[in-house]
Amino acid sequence: MLTFLKANISSSIASFFDYLITIFLVNFFRVDVVIASTTGTVCGGVLNFFIGRTWVFESRKRKVHQQAFRYGLVWTGNLILNTGGMYIMTKLLKVHYVFAKLFVSLIVGFCYNYVLQKKYVFKNN
């Protein structure tokens, strides 16, 4: 349960960073919401990897490049799911990008990221 709580704190920090970049790019540079969201997701993903490795899962036994490779595989799926979800919600369903990003990232985070990070990326055996 503690790991799950720490994972949610890490995810919240990374998501805050992700959202900040997304909103900044949309509002100040007029970047398309899907591109801005993808950029935010990339930045948040890098931050989440390092927090997950060092604090959440305390997984330093495996070499960083091995974990980074596994994280990259999982994260690619995360990026596809988030970008696809943002496209569907903003372009097809016309949902405001902030609400769409919140909804999509919560679903992907709980149903995809946490499970794969715990069982595949940062497992300690």
Side-chain angles (χ1 to χ4, degrees):
M1 189 65 171
L2 180 60
T3 302
F4 183 72
L5 178 63
K6 287 166 66 174
N8 281 296
I9 292 169
S10 173
S11 179
S12 295
I13 292 167
S15 293
F16 176 77
F17 192 60
D18 172 354
Y19 288 34
L20 187 67
I21 289 170
T22 300
I23 292 167
F24 184 77
L25 289 174
V26 169
N27 290 318
F28 293 103
F29 291 101
R30 301 292 181 221
V31 174
D32 178 77
V33 295
V34 175
I35 294 169
S37 176
T38 301
T39 304
T41 299
V42 169
C43 295
V46 170
L47 180 61
N48 193 46
F49 170 76
F50 287 106
I51 296 172
R53 182 177 200 277
T54 58
W55 182 63
V56 176
F57 299 103
E58 298 175 10
S59 180
R60 295 180 195 100
K61 291 180 183 177
R62 183 173 282 134
K63 293 180 181 176
V64 70
H65 70 276
Q66 291 173 327
Q67 287 177 332
F69 177 76
R70 287 175 176 233
Y71 186 86
L73 292 175
V74 170
W75 185 82
T76 299
N78 170 69
L79 181 63
I80 291 167
L81 291 169
N82 274 290
T83 302
M86 280 298 289
Y87 179 83
I88 290 167
M89 298 220 32
T90 60
K91 303 295 185 184
L92 302 178
L93 300 177
K94 306 295 185 198
V95 175
H96 188 273
Y97 78 95
V98 173
F99 297 114
K101 186 157 186 70
L102 179 62
F103 178 77
V104 171
S105 63
L106 286 172
I107 297 298
V108 173
F110 285 120
C111 298
Y112 178 83
N113 286 338
Y114 175 74
V115 174
L116 289 176
Q117 285 184 28
K118 183 177 180 182
K119 302 281 186 191
Y120 178 67
V121 176
F122 297 115
K123 67 179 185 173
N124 277 319
N125 56 0

